[in-house]
Amino acid sequence: MFSLRQAGLLFAVTNIASAFPAQALPGIQRRQAENGTFIETKGVTDGQLGFRKEIHELQRDADAWNMYLLGLSRFKDVDGLDPTSFYQIAAIHGQPYVAWDNVGQCDDCQPAGYCTHQSTLFPTWHRAYLALFEQSLVNNAIIVAEQYTGEDRDRYMQAAQNLRIPFWDWAALPAEGENPFPQMFTDESVFVNSPNGPMNISNPLLGYTFKEDEEHSFIDGDQTQRKPTFTQDNRKQLRSDLWTTLSSDQTYNAFSTEALAADNGDFNPSSLEALHDNIHVLTGGHMAIVPQAAYDPVFWLHHTNVDRIFAIYQAAYPEKWLVETAEVGSTMWYSSGTVKDSTSELQPFHQTSDGEYWISDNLRDTKTFNYVYSDLNSQGAPQLINSLYADQGQNFQAGSDEKGSLSKRVGDADSLGGYVDNLLNPPLLNGKTTEYIASIEVDAMRMNGSFTLFLFDGSFNEEDASNWQCEENLIGSHGFFASPTPMETDSKVRAGISITSILFSRSLAGFLDNLTNGGVSSYLKDRIDWRVVTADGCIKEAKDVPGLHVKVVASEVEIPDDKNTLPKWGAFDILHEITDGKNQCA
Ligand SMILES: *[C@@H]1O[C@H](CO)[C@@H](O)[C@H](O)[C@H]1NC(C)=O
Ligand SMILES: *[C@@H]1O[C@H](CO)[C@@H](O)[C@H](O)[C@H]1NC(C)=O
Ligand SMILES: *[C@@H]1O[C@H](CO)[C@@H](O)[C@H](O)[C@H]1NC(C)=O
Ligand SMILES: *[C@@H]1O[C@H](CO)[C@@H](O)[C@H](O)[C@H]1NC(C)=O
Ligand SMILES: [Cu+2]
């Protein structure tokens, strides 16, 4: 036991490491070194099919929440020499650049992590990665459960065995009273019923503290840091961006990655990977640094949601799948330009102990790893997409006070089964609506790290970017999660920012003549302005942003009457090439 003085309060905090010393995880610890076999990535194989739940839902289940917190705390305390420790599993993503489970660097590869970005393998590689994390987390929860006595033991053992990693649905609007970056990630301590009785422990979701013998010279200090800039408004944008990504019938390759391939025509510029980038950059700190992000526990909640969106897409479009392509991004196990397809190995994740790797084709069904997503399991994908993420135009209630003010955002909160809905899109016209999306192309890997593009339609503080997420005349933003190692090859990526609801609020306020393609086009020509800011806050001039191209595209979308059918997107028209007009270097 030790005490933690925090803001004048004395919390009784127990260090889980000393209470429950790490033991060898049954069956898998250092087996590779001892027996010449490989670690099997299997997910949780004991017991029944498990449900991955939204973190707020998990929190409402007291026993599951208890075993999650205690299991995660213990997992983080496992010695970094163990290949199934939190430290080593996080290190697979990036730094330190060392081999995991004896899987080495390819001959023409640069030192890097194993993670696949700017790649069609992005969804499936991370699916295997999460399964490895999940099996270790649950093993640790089970070890904690074994230490209870009496009736508690059975109860907590069952909760531990049924535990699966939760997801954070950042595309659902925060419930009333909750911060846009949830408090459960930032609370200093949490209450648990441990095998030694009720106590407060330090919150395992707060960050990661490196142990003395765990190599971490690549970061300042010995703890992960964050710099969250989530707001109610950018949470709304994330919801719209997710809706356009899931409803617009994209090919698998276009959906899976932000990498701009030769066959990317005029369709929705958003993708699963691009959406995912924005959450990394909005969380900030180590989460915005590709080779260090996985040490932040929030990485795992974020990526579980990314895997869930992948599963929703698969359920909505079961026929669509990965088509052979030359990869844009590179990793420690393949170089840029390597051709990959659905039979390519996903290194370093072994399917069998004799060294066979997982491939994408074997990971189409989440049940392979013994889990399903609880909300997707209880309804069809179209219904889930429509009910959780669509703005229903007919429910829009225009507040009277926003008229005349350019910057006022409209929003009327209604609690909807734990989710709060903000209804902002224009009413339907003959069952149709027009979606407006800012489409951004940029040579992201020449930017030497993550950066954010901001779009404005009025004045803002041009000197200091630190508060731009809260600027009243912000139309939208997108954070690109990019590696700090520059690449010599062309590496264009793209992303979309949904701007339909903000344009609608501007038209209600009288700033747009009308919400037609002509009206929007002329408004944007007059007012739109953009800036790029690096993760460390430097405002970049246009000439320093390689390959940047920003335009606004529009598509007419037919909204079906019933919730079990997905919308039908029309062709994408280019309304306005922003970078051909105004920019800050004029
Ligand atoms: C070591 O390998 C042998 C032969 O394949 C196997 O029977 C045994 O279970 C393995 N031991 C461990 C600890 O994995
Ligand atoms: C845990 O912390 C809360 C809030 O400070 C406090 O009220 C409670 O008494 C603590 N419980 C234990 C068992 O230390
Ligand atoms: C990235 O780093 C390279 C090499 O250090 C430098 O030449 C280039 O200007 C940098 N790019 C940006 C956008 O700062
Ligand atoms: C919409 O506004 C634009 C720009 O002011 C104008 O050119 C166009 O005629 C308007 N269209 C309609 C249908 O009112
Ligand atoms: Cu990520």
Side-chain angles (χ1 to χ4, degrees):
M1 285 274 241
F2 64 93
S3 293
L4 175 76
R5 266 175 218 281
Q6 172 71 28
L9 286 171
L10 193 66
F11 291 94
V13 175
T14 293
N15 184 330
I16 283 295
S18 51
F20 316 108
Q23 303 159 4
L25 296 180
I28 50 181
Q29 190 185 33
R30 297 200 187 100
R31 203 173 53 182
Q32 193 279 323
E34 284 163 13
N35 209 3
T37 63
F38 294 93
I39 294 170
E40 291 170 57
T41 295
K42 295 189 292 199
V44 180
T45 50
D46 296 341
Q48 308 158 9
L49 193 66
F51 292 91
R52 288 190 182 171
K53 296 175 181 166
E54 214 280 336
I55 185 149
H56 296 87
E57 189 190 347
L58 190 76
Q59 193 180 31
R60 287 192 290 270
D61 178 344
D63 290 358
W65 183 241
N66 196 58
M67 296 322 293
Y68 173 60
L69 295 173
L70 288 168
L72 181 58
S73 298
R74 190 188 184 285
F75 184 18
K76 289 165 65 190
D77 286 339
V78 172
D79 190 305
L81 287 173
D82 183 334
T84 64
S85 61
F86 183 97
Y87 171 75
Q88 282 212 29
I89 291 177
I92 290 172
H93 200 262
Q95 287 168 310
Y97 299 140
V98 294
W100 184 81
D101 204 20
N102 261 9
V103 181
Q105 184 176 317
C106 89
D107 288 345
D108 58 348
C109 288
Q110 306 283 323
Y114 294 95
C115 64
T116 56
H117 294 106
Q118 289 86 34
S119 165
T120 54
L121 303 180
F122 169 76
T124 48
W125 186 90
H126 284 86
R127 176 164 284 176
Y129 191 33
L130 289 164
L132 176 70
F133 182 91
E134 185 167 66
Q135 81 195 45
S136 227
L137 171 73
V138 171
N139 272 330
N140 279 286
I142 287 171
I143 292 167
V144 176
E146 279 164 355
Q147 310 186 25
Y148 289 91
T149 52
E151 279 176 14
D152 278 355
R153 192 177 183 282
D154 288 350
R155 201 175 110 209
Y156 285 125
M157 181 57 78
Q158 193 171 24
Q161 284 167 342
N162 291 337
L163 181 68
R164 295 295 184 275
I165 46 176
F167 59 91
W168 172 38
D169 187 359
W170 32 255
L173 297 180
E176 237 173 285
E178 182 167 60
N179 292 337
F181 188 65
Q183 291 93 314
M184 60 171 70
F185 303 153
T186 56
D187 285 341
E188 289 286 336
S189 72
V190 286
F191 176 82
V192 290
N193 183 22
S194 82
N196 297 341
M199 61 177 71
N200 291 313
I201 59 169
S202 28
N203 180 4
L205 296 174
L206 195 57
Y208 185 70
T209 304
F210 292 86
K211 298 175 208 47
E212 243 172 71
D213 59 348
E214 291 170 350
E215 156 64 8
H216 60 281
S217 55
F218 45 86
I219 75 157
D220 282 340
D222 58 5
Q223 287 183 9
T224 57
Q225 309 290 336
R226 298 175 185 145
K227 214 175 152 194
T229 50
F230 287 92
T231 64
Q232 192 75 18
D233 287 338
N234 59 38
R235 290 287 299 271
K236 273 181 227 157
Q237 184 201 311
L238 291 174
R239 182 176 71 164
S240 300
D241 288 342
L242 178 57
W243 182 76
T244 75
T245 307
L246 280 173
S247 68
S248 57
D249 195 24
Q250 291 178 307
T251 64
Y252 184 88
N253 286 25
F255 165 80
S256 65
T257 181
E258 66 197 20
L260 188 68
D263 66 346
N264 286 142
D266 284 330
F267 45 71
N268 191 345
S270 296
S271 63
L272 178 65
E273 187 186 7
L275 255 169
H276 137 276
D277 276 23
N278 207 0
I279 284 79
H280 274 281
V281 179
L282 288 168
T283 305
H286 292 104
M287 266 288 274
I289 304 173
V290 176
Q292 298 161 15
Y295 291 104
D296 187 330
V298 147
F299 173 98
W300 301 95
L301 290 147
H302 166 39
H303 265 279
T304 307
N305 197 38
V306 170
D307 184 67
R308 166 177 163 270
I309 296 166
F310 171 29
I312 296 168
Y313 171 88
Q314 290 183 286
Y317 311 100
E319 305 302 318
K320 295 182 195 271
W321 194 232
L322 205 157
V323 173
E324 178 183 284
T325 190
E327 295 296 351
V328 169
S330 58
T331 77
M332 90 177 254
W333 53 282
Y334 65 79
S335 56
S336 181
T338 307
V339 173
K340 294 289 181 195
D341 65 19
S342 63
T343 66
S344 301
E345 293 170 343
L346 302 171
Q347 295 187 23
F349 305 119
H350 292 111
Q351 182 173 358
T352 61
S353 58
D354 59 9
E356 195 183 331
Y357 289 105
W358 284 105
I359 61 170
S360 297
D361 280 342
N362 292 344
L363 296 180
R364 285 183 84 152
D365 189 348
T366 65
K367 288 177 186 152
T368 304
F369 286 139
N370 215 19
Y371 71 88
V372 290
Y373 287 97
S374 63
D375 54 359
L376 182 59
N377 191 56
S378 60
Q379 62 193 316
Q383 192 194 352
L384 185 153
I385 296 165
N386 287 329
S387 62
L388 286 187
Y389 304 118
D391 275 319
Q392 299 293 329
Q394 63 273 25
N395 290 335
F396 177 75
Q397 295 167 335
S400 52
D401 61 330
E402 86 275 12
K403 297 232 190 305
S405 152
L406 175 64
S407 39
K408 178 92 177 160
R409 304 277 171 90
V410 252
D412 191 50
D414 261 320
S415 197
L416 235 166
Y419 295 92
V420 170
D421 219 352
N422 262 293
L423 306 161
L424 280 168
N425 267 31
L428 296 180
L429 208 62
N430 304 322
K432 289 180 178 168
T433 184
T434 302
E435 285 295 317
Y436 297 98
I437 300 176
S439 168
I440 309 145
E441 283 175 30
V442 61
D443 206 339
M445 280 166 280
R446 289 182 205 255
M447 285 293 287
N448 307 339
S450 297
F451 60 97
T452 302
L453 180 126
F454 291 87
L455 293 175
F456 299 101
D457 63 352
S459 61
F460 57 96
N461 180 349
E462 303 204 20
E463 305 302 315
D464 178 5
S466 56
N467 217 21
W468 281 2
Q469 285 294 351
C470 303
E471 282 285 354
E472 290 185 326
N473 295 323
L474 180 69
I475 297 183
S477 68
H478 182 80
F480 290 86
F481 185 48
S483 170
T485 318
M487 268 177 56
E488 293 310 313
T489 48
D490 272 350
S491 53
K492 271 215 170 177
V493 304
R494 63 177 194 165
I497 300 174
S498 300
I499 59 171
T500 313
S501 52
I502 195 103
L503 288 172
F504 182 48
S505 75
R506 302 308 199 228
S507 80
L508 286 174
F511 289 92
L512 265 88
D513 290 350
N514 57 66
L515 208 60
T516 64
N517 288 1
V520 168
S521 183
S522 110
Y523 178 76
L524 293 173
K525 272 192 187 91
D526 279 357
R527 305 200 68 115
I528 204 159
D529 204 355
W530 56 268
R531 294 289 187 280
V532 168
V533 182
T534 64
D536 49 12
C538 291
I539 303 171
K540 287 277 177 190
E541 292 190 35
K543 66 176 172 50
D544 292 332
V545 184
L548 183 68
H549 190 79
V550 186
K551 62 192 177 195
V552 172
V553 295
S555 172
E556 196 175 60
V557 184
E558 272 178 57
I559 305 293
D561 290 337
D562 79 291
K563 285 212 155 188
N564 298 313
T565 310
L566 285 171
K568 272 202 178 61
W569 288 65
F572 280 79
D573 296 329
I574 298 173
L575 291 193
H576 180 49
E577 303 262 355
I578 299 170
T579 42
D580 290 349
K582 262 163 90 154
N583 68 51
Q584 85 270 29
C585 295

